[in-house]
Amino acid sequence: MINETSLKVTDAAVYQNPPDDIAALINAAPTPGASLSPSGNWMLLMEKPTLPSIEEVAQPELRLAGIRINPRTNGSSRPFYYNGFKIKSLKDFSEKKVSGLPSAPKIENVSWSPQGDKIAFTNTVSNGLELWLIDLAKATAQKITPAIVNDAISALPYRWFSDGKSILYKAIADNRKGVPIASPFPLGPVIRENKTSMAPVRTYQDLLKNKYDEALFTYYTTSQLKTVHLETGEQTNFGSSGIISNLQTSPDGNYVLVTTIQPPFSYLVPYERFATQVDMMDRKGTLIKTMANIPSSEDIPKGFGAVRKGPRSFGWRSDHPATLIWVEAQDEGDPKIEVAIRDQMYFLPAPFTERAQTLISFELRYGGVDWGHGDLAICYEWWWPNRQLITSQWQPDHPEKRKVLLFDRSWEDSYNAPGDFVTQRNTYGRNVLVEKNEYLYLIGQGASAEGNRPFVDAFELKTKQTTRLWRSEAPYFERPVSVKWISENKLLTARESKEEPPNYFFRNLKTGDLTQITHFVDPYKSLKAVKKELIQYKRADGLDLNATLYTPPNYDQAIDGKLPALMWAYPREYKSAEAAGQVKDSPYQFIRIGWFSPIFWVTQGYAVLDDFGMPIVGEGDEEPNETFIEQLVMDAEAAAKAIVDRGIADPERLAVGGHSYGAFMTANLLAHSDIFAAGIARSGAYNRTLTPYGFQSEERTFWEAPDTYFKMSPFMHADKIKAPLLLIHGDADNNSGTYPMQSERFYAALKGQGAPVRLVMLPHESHSYRAKESVMHMLWEMHNWLERHL
């Protein structure tokens, strides 16, 4: 609880801290990440730092063409770092710390060599990014380049060659001159013109605005490819410089596919939709052939099944030395055009002198391929309007043979999901299907009415039948990680419970014996006595709903009575009522805490209902958003009733909150119901006329459905909001549609209507909050708001 003095604080001039119990959870040491080597002999444990300081988050930042660049480092301005490594043997379980790491490391872009005996990573220093290498056998690290790695465009800035002896990386262009300087006065207006084409695009942020932005984008993204030989350290330039958005070495290491961005640049879409050139190079960097010149994609048709015209999704067959593949739409990329074949995949083997041939056709939109050993592959295709996902088996060496249907389902239907086919590295270091004795393997989440129960199935290629090998059992949530040891009747799993944090184990499938590999400790011991419960209830129209309920440590309903409750959610659209009511969580998972979590307030005496069911259903031709408000209110009423009827929550002391679309939900609930005493809305969008070409799962434009846009916009109903609303937003939000202006304008509207409202703008924060000071202050604001109004 907070005292009366702190309740009077309305405009904090400096960052504030929440109660100690909440702050301790934020300051807890994060559990390390883990990565399994291709050989299966090693596990890399990657240590994570706590949240960065506002000083780090406030570093200089350029926002250009949909990316954010730190001009001091020529890398991402908002990276996620690791700060240490340990190597664990999966044979004798010994563990050793990697020596030779840089002091105060800021590690990104971690990847294993094809042979699994080395690890590459980048390290950020004050003036750039360096490329480093770890030798697994020696557990030592060494720097292999100076701070010249160019990571401005957020993709892995290097690639391994298949022999594991050389790396190809993007470097800052040789002899780069000084940073372009803006003219002190404009040379003329910025002019845009559209003559005849339709170009409906979503509401993107951080786009180019003028010629100076173009000059900065070119300056920071232009790279020179270089090869570095890992034994000798010798470095050589590879090809010519350019704005390289993607590079892919062939499985045999003899060729490199290089994609470069070409001017003129667009002011309407981010860099991913700029014009590109796709070139095939040999191992020495000599141009063999230009595979494609793809124009800027401002005119992609509207709709979630729409794609750009021409070739896309370039890649390599993982099971061949050097066979290039790509896909081309057969419907001009427009899902509204009726055709028998939507997408076609083509292939062209080295030396790339022949005419490309058709490899496979897709009746729906192409969704990827898992390559196998020899004449085997699994392909995926999907269709948005009915959420259809088709999985097929085919023979890529015999393109004339038809696909064999394996699964045809709705991706919303979690209960009947067959799982994902398991892959592992081949001799080229590429992922291919795990095949043993005419069996493939499937790993699934195992959603069920009792909660998620992950599983491993064997899939027989001849009969197309599955056999269950293992499934997680209560009171644990155990997730398969690798079937590499399946011939030894062993699985590598990650196992946790409500009281035990996730750790890695070897599980013997025959005996059920477990061998523990890691011993990560519980970082949140203060939550030990918190009760976590998966509750199920019904909406007024009979739709099944569920949520996770947390009650305070040692809460005794008979003694403590009804509690104030914080209810947190995020709406999701469905085409099936049956799928909308399915359970997609587990009552046996360890309680996880992040800056985004509402669970903090269980330490302060509140009940917390997390991720309560907020489905918006539109079956058949019905659009979910036509009844968005009605369903939203029904969902909230059902959730509130569920915890009130249990005698846990006080109906007069309920607060609702959410982030992003959850903030949009919160504002609408306050406008259209009287269920809640207060609301908390973080980083939301409140006026849908500012996102006129669609939002979330809405495909229609404002001009096609003006009444829906108006009805769904809480800004248009600001006069109806009487309950106090706390608005929080990062002032550097880059998420599509959630401009900081959304909260600023909504605050002005509510203030003008006399509603109790508070607006907190977090400096330098994007859609996700990063700085420790920002997160602590956000929690302080939320805590004060709940204490004051509940």
Side-chain angles (χ1 to χ4, degrees), residues 369-595:
V369 172
D370 288 329
W371 303 98
H373 297 276
D375 198 15
L376 170 67
I378 303 293
C379 63
Y380 307 90
E381 48 195 307
W382 59 274
W383 198 237
W384 172 262
N386 60 355
R387 313 303 196 261
Q388 186 179 11
L389 177 62
I390 291 178
T391 304
S392 303
Q393 179 186 338
W394 58 295
Q395 296 175 256
D397 292 342
H398 294 85
E400 73 281 1
K401 295 189 177 182
R402 292 181 61 83
K403 297 174 290 184
V404 177
L405 177 67
L406 300 182
F407 311 115
D408 184 352
R409 52 180 288 267
S410 165
W411 69 68
E412 291 182 344
D413 182 5
S414 300
Y415 286 2
N416 293 300
D420 299 318
F421 283 102
V422 181
T423 62
Q424 65 183 21
R425 299 270 196 110
N426 62 6
T427 54
Y428 297 126
R430 307 302 168 98
N431 285 327
V432 295
L433 293 162
V434 175
E435 181 185 352
K436 296 182 186 296
N437 302 321
E438 296 296 314
Y439 282 92
L440 303 180
Y441 296 91
L442 291 156
I443 289 179
Q445 191 71 348
S448 71
E450 61 198 270
N452 290 340
R453 293 180 58 198
F455 64 82
V456 176
D457 283 353
F459 179 86
E460 188 174 11
L461 286 166
K462 288 181 179 178
T463 66
K464 316 304 181 200
Q465 299 298 309
T466 59
T467 302
R468 178 121 318 156
L469 301 179
W470 172 83
R471 190 176 189 186
S472 178
E473 295 183 357
Y476 290 93
F477 177 84
E478 192 168 355
R479 175 178 57 86
V481 175
S482 176
V483 300
K484 192 173 188 67
W485 298 268
I486 199 75
S487 58
E488 304 171 34
N489 290 305
K490 281 200 312 185
L491 288 179
L492 177 66
T493 69
R495 189 173 192 250
E496 62 189 277
S497 71
K498 288 189 285 188
E499 295 81 21
E500 301 170 21
N503 270 292
Y504 291 90
F505 291 80
F506 275 129
R507 168 174 284 278
N508 187 304
L509 292 177
K510 282 191 172 182
T511 66
D513 291 342
L514 290 168
T515 304
Q516 189 165 353
I517 298 169
T518 61
H519 295 82
F520 302 140
V521 299
D522 181 356
Y524 311 123
K525 292 181 179 178
S526 63
L527 301 181
K528 272 285 189 190
V530 168
K531 183 180 179 182
K532 176 184 177 182
E533 182 184 1
L534 179 66
I535 66 170
Q536 296 176 301
Y537 52 96
K538 286 185 181 292
R539 202 164 75 173
D541 60 359
L543 183 66
D544 291 321
L545 299 175
N546 59 85
T548 304
L549 175 64
Y550 299 89
T551 49
N554 305 312
Y555 169 67
D556 186 324
Q557 187 172 344
I559 298 173
D560 301 319
K562 296 179 180 180
L563 303 174
L566 172 60
M567 298 169 57
W568 201 264
Y570 189 96
R572 291 174 175 83
E573 295 85 351
Y574 291 88
K575 295 301 291 180
S576 161
E578 182 182 0
Q582 292 181 350
V583 178
K584 301 175 182 66
D585 199 356
S586 168
Y588 304 114
Q589 284 185 271
F590 183 70
I591 296 176
R592 288 167 169 79
I593 291 283
W595 67 267

Side-chain angles (χ1 to χ4, degrees), residues 29-103:
T31 300
S35 176
L36 187 67
S37 72
S39 66
N41 294 329
W42 305 97
M43 179 179 281
L44 180 68
L45 302 180
M46 301 173 286
E47 298 166 352
K48 306 171 187 176
T50 55
L51 293 172
S53 68
I54 189 64
E55 181 181 3
E56 180 177 328
V57 173
Q59 290 291 305
E61 180 177 71
L62 300 174
R63 303 170 190 175
L64 304 166
I67 56 177
R68 295 187 166 187
I69 303 167
N70 183 335
R72 293 178 179 172
T73 65
N74 221 106
S76 170
S77 62
R78 297 172 183 268
F80 174 83
Y81 296 129
Y82 296 106
N83 63 349
F85 288 140
K86 291 180 181 177
I87 299 171
K88 178 173 281 289
S89 168
L90 294 185
K91 290 183 176 180
D92 61 11
F93 306 136
S94 61
E95 189 174 290
K96 47 190 174 183
K97 205 167 183 70
V98 175
S99 64
L101 288 172
S103 59

